[in-house]
């Protein structure tokens, strides 16, 4: 009898050990795969079982959470959804997250270990901290000015503070209301299908996720390369540029929109945007200096994040001379996001230094305790400071005497560059209208805002589109709003 009891006890011990081993296997070894298994409903139930943390603009939340009382309890809400959609993105029970909602998902959902006073305890108990807050660098007045300026036209605006890299506005149009994707009902699926099949692509963030030929705005980069390399030493010396200019190795003749470009100086060519001068200037400067300068401005960088990923702006590294000539005027395969071209303008305004653009100022817990701040850092030096000063002079001339007069602000020093970029088969698409600029308020030591605007309105008459005519007034409104916001923040009138 004793032997049977002993055998039973051993069997029970073995079964208990097996249960313990299985518990360890399930809770530790297979925990990751089980947690991400689509059939596991506990994860989304827990995820939406508490309010999501908020995204703030000027210290005020532009997001919220609504208690539905359903299994996936809290739905995301958005204040002024279309205005801030290019910043926030969406957070959907069905379709996941995008943009800032995605990049800061851990903090907003409460899973970031930095939110927990005892992270190890949270890991063991599967507890979830309240969602934190993301305080953005966006200024509401600047964002509204950019959104209103576009007026629903297809295009984008990016505005930066040159000395810090803070993003003051990030607008893409047409936009959409991300709240339409909150919830689990059939209306959400219908909205998703409608938004994705829309010809205007309202969910595409044109400011950071779409690249365009930058056209003549790229002449800022070409001028920087020419000045830094010593190809041009005198802004007012003749450049020995013919009009028209025959692309090297071809019979293709490049012309200009207006007269007076033959043998024009760099100052005149920049002021009146002479294609022939800058195409030849790119060839004379050479491929290696052009590639190096473009890279220093931020082109060909596939790793830029703000913290959302930014599409790579392109300047080809292998070009023949004819291709280099076209690339030097922002055509051929040269492509840039509006954010990239705002970085170009900001580098000129900031003495040639390219500051890392960023959208998040700091993150906090739900009760305001600091979690992290975004450090200001220099990505690279785009050009010599003396070259930046000369480019500021050239860009100021464009606004005061040239094609950018519509960006002028009384009493303010404004520099700019227009651009009209060709695209489509045989360049027969409606040109993209560009304007990049910066503004320096009276009494300020340095410019406090840099802007890039692009308009791709396919409904417009081709002859009515120009960077100076279509995009410059939008840039002016954005700069005025930024200068006023900066003055208000400093306690000015």
């Amino acid at each position: 009898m004793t032997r049977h009891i002993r055998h039973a006890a051993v069997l029970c011990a073995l079964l208990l050990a097996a249960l313990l081993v299985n518990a360890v296997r399930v809770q530790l070894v297979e925990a990751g795969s089980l947690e991400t298994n689509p059939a596991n409903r506990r994860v989304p139930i827990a995820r939406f079982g508490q309010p999501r943390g908020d995204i703030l603009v000027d210290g005020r939340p532009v997001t919220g959470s609504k208690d539905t009382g359903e299994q996936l309890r809290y739905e995301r809400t958005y204040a002024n959804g279309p205005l801030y959609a290019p910043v926030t993105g969406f957070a959907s029970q069905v379709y996941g997250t995008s943009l800032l909602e995605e990049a800061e998902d851990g903090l907003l959902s409460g899973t970031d270990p930095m939110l927990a006073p005892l992270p190890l305890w949270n890991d063991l108990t599967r507890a979830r901290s309240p969602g934190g807050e993301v305080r953005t660098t966006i200024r509401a007045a600047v964002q509204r000015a950019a959104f209103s300026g576009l007026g629903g036209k297809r295009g984008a605006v990016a505005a930066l503070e040159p000395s810090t890299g803070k993003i003051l506005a990030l607008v893409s149009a047409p936009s959409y209301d991300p709240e339409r994707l909150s919830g689990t009902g059939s209306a959400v699926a219908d909205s998703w299908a409608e938004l994705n099949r829309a010809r205007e692509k309202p969910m595409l963030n044109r400011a950071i996720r779409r690249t365009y030929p930058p056209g003549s705005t790229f002449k800022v980069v070409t001028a920087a390369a020419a000045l830094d390399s010593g190809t041009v030493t005198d802004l007012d010396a003749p450049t020995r540029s013919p009009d028209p200019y025959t692309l090297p190795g071809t019979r293709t003749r490049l012309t200009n929109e207006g007269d007076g470009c033959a043998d024009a100086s760099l100052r005149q060519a920049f002021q009146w945007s002479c294609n022939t001068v800058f195409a030849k200037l790119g060839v004379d400067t050479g491929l290696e200096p052009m590639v190096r300068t473009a890279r220093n401005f931020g082109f060909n960088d596939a790793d830029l994040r703000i913290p959302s990923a930014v599409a790579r702006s392109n300047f080809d590294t292998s070009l023949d001379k004819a291709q280099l000539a076209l690339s030097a005027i922002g055509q051929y395969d040269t492509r840039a996001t509006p954010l990239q071209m705002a970085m170009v303008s900001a580098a000129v305004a900031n003495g040639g230094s390219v500051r890392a653009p960023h959208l998040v100022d700091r993150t906090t817990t739900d009760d305001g305790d600091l979690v992290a701040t975004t450090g200001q850092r220099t990505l690279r030096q785009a050009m010599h400071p003396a070259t930046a000063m000369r480019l500021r002079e050239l860009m100021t001339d464009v606004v005061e005497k040239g094609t950018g007069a519509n960006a002028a602000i009384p009493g303010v020093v404004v520099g700019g560059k227009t651009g009209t970029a060709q695209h489509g088969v045989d360049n027969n698409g409606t040109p993209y209208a560009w304007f990049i600029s910066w503004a320096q308020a009276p009494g300020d030591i340095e410019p406090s805002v840099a802007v890039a605007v692009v308009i791709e309105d396919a409904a417009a008459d081709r002859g009515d589109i120009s960077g100076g005519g279509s995009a410059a007034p939008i840039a002016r409104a954005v700069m005025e709003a930024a200068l006023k916001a900066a003055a208000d923040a400093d306690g000015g009138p």
Side-chain angles (χ1 to χ4, degrees), residues 210-222 273 275 290 294 299 312-316 326-342 344 417-423 431-436 452-455 466-467 471:
R210 181 163 189 179
T211 61
Y212 303 84
S216 292
T217 58
F218 190 80
K219 291 171 183 174
V220 173
V221 179
T222 301
S273 204
N275 287 332
M290 285 292 297
F299 285 80
R312 175 183 180 272
S313 296
N314 180 72
F315 186 83
D316 281 359
L326 293 175
S327 297
I329 59 172
Q331 298 287 170
Y332 189 59
D333 282 341
T334 304
R335 294 290 184 274
T337 62
L339 178 63
Q340 172 61 69
M341 294 314 297
V344 168
K417 184 69 191 77
T418 55
T420 306
Q422 308 294 329
H423 69 102
Y432 298 134
W434 278 94
F435 194 76
I436 64 173
V453 179
V454 65
I455 299 175
S466 71

Side-chain angles (χ1 to χ4, degrees), residues 23-262:
V24 170
R25 177 183 65 82
V26 171
Q27 294 188 25
L28 297 180
V29 178
E30 295 186 7
S33 61
L34 291 173
E35 188 171 359
T36 57
N37 191 309
N40 181 8
R41 294 287 293 166
R42 298 185 64 171
V43 173
I45 290 172
R47 176 182 178 83
F48 297 103
Q50 67 177 29
R52 189 170 174 84
D54 283 323
I55 297 171
L56 280 64
V57 172
D58 284 346
R60 300 182 182 89
V62 296
T63 59
S65 295
K66 178 175 66 177
D67 189 350
T68 65
E70 299 178 359
Q71 189 178 56
L72 302 182
R73 184 171 173 179
Y74 287 93
E75 293 181 2
R76 195 58 149 165
T77 61
Y78 295 88
N80 295 315
L83 174 63
Y84 292 111
V87 176
T88 63
F90 61 80
S92 169
Q93 284 97 327
V94 180
Y95 300 108
T97 54
S98 69
L99 299 177
L100 204 50
E101 293 274 28
E102 178 182 26
E104 297 290 350
D105 182 61
L107 183 120
L108 294 168
S109 65
T111 60
D112 190 328
M114 295 294 292
L115 295 172
L118 298 171
L120 183 59
W121 177 253
N122 276 17
D123 288 343
L124 291 174
T125 62
R126 302 290 178 183
R128 186 183 294 256
S129 301
E133 293 184 340
V134 175
R135 297 176 179 267
T136 71
T137 59
I138 295 292
R139 303 304 298 265
V142 186
Q143 184 83 357
R144 285 194 297 269
F147 188 81
S148 299
L150 284 173
K153 298 186 184 72
R154 289 209 302 263
V157 178
L160 297 170
E161 188 174 73
S163 62
T164 64
K166 291 181 178 180
I167 298 175
L168 306 177
L170 200 68
V171 170
S172 175
S175 188
Y176 72 104
D177 187 353
E179 194 167 331
R180 296 177 62 187
L181 303 178
S182 297
T184 57
S186 59
V188 173
D190 292 342
S191 294
W192 178 262
E194 177 190 333
L195 290 169
N196 276 283
R197 67 171 174 257
R199 185 173 63 90
E200 296 83 4
K201 300 186 183 301
M203 288 201 296
L204 171 63
N205 190 328
R206 290 168 163 84
I208 63 171
R209 296 282 173 85
R210 181 163 189 179
T211 61
Y212 303 84
S216 292
T217 58
F218 190 80
K219 291 171 183 174
V220 173
V221 179
T222 301
L227 289 166
D228 266 1
S229 65
T231 305
V232 173
T233 56
D234 184 348
L235 298 182
D236 297 301
T239 55
R240 300 179 181 177
S241 304
D243 183 10
Y245 172 63
T246 302
L247 299 180
T250 75
R251 295 181 180 178
T252 302
R253 300 203 310 170
L254 191 65
T255 59
N256 300 290
E257 293 291 333
D259 299 325
C261 288

Side-chain angles (χ1 to χ4, degrees), residues 233-488:
T233 56
D234 184 348
L235 298 182
D236 297 301
T239 55
R240 300 179 181 177
S241 304
D243 183 10
Y245 172 63
T246 302
L247 299 180
T250 75
R251 295 181 180 178
T252 302
R253 300 203 310 170
L254 191 65
T255 59
N256 300 290
E257 293 291 333
D259 299 325
C261 288
D263 206 25
S265 67
L266 181 59
R267 187 187 302 277
Q268 293 171 316
F270 196 92
Q271 183 177 329
W272 298 107
S273 204
C274 296
N275 287 332
T276 52
V277 173
F278 278 91
K280 181 177 182 295
L281 198 58
V283 174
D284 292 346
T285 300
L287 179 60
E288 184 178 343
M290 285 292 297
V291 169
R292 180 172 61 250
T293 302
R295 183 179 292 120
N296 288 341
F297 273 103
F299 285 80
N300 300 336
D301 182 357
D303 299 321
L304 182 64
R305 304 186 69 87
I306 61 170
S308 305
V310 179
R312 175 183 180 272
S313 296
N314 180 72
F315 186 83
D316 281 359
T317 58
S318 179
L319 299 166
D320 63 29
K321 289 186 176 182
Q323 295 165 343
L324 178 58
L326 293 175
S327 297
I329 59 172
Q331 298 287 170
Y332 189 59
D333 282 341
T334 304
R335 294 290 184 274
T337 62
L339 178 63
Q340 172 61 69
M341 294 314 297
M343 290 166 63
V344 168
S345 185
V348 174
N350 194 43
S353 177
V354 181
R355 302 291 272 178
H358 56 280
L359 192 54
V360 175
D361 184 48
R362 63 189 184 276
T363 54
T364 69
T365 63
D366 65 316
D367 54 7
D369 292 336
L370 182 66
V371 174
T373 58
T374 302
Q376 298 168 16
R377 61 190 179 90
T378 299
L379 286 180
R380 52 188 73 85
Q381 187 72 22
M383 63 194 128
H384 193 279
T387 296
M389 290 301 296
R390 297 170 92 179
L391 278 170
R392 281 170 65 167
E393 184 180 337
L394 294 178
M395 292 181 74
T396 303
D397 286 347
V398 168
V399 174
E400 294 181 353
K401 309 171 186 177
T403 57
N406 284 332
I409 302 173
V412 175
V413 179
V414 177
K417 184 69 191 77
T418 55
T420 306
Q422 308 294 329
H423 69 102
V425 179
D426 296 327
N427 288 333
N428 60 4
T430 302
Y432 298 134
W434 278 94
F435 194 76
I436 64 173
S437 59
W438 48 263
Q440 180 177 344
D444 286 355
I445 300 174
E446 298 290 340
S448 57
V449 60
V451 179
V453 179
V454 65
I455 299 175
E456 49 164 297
D457 191 354
D461 183 347
R462 180 187 179 102
D464 290 340
I465 286 193
S466 71
S470 301
I474 300 173
R476 180 186 65 226
V478 172
M479 290 186 292
E480 286 176 329
L483 294 174
K484 184 177 186 305
D488 291 344

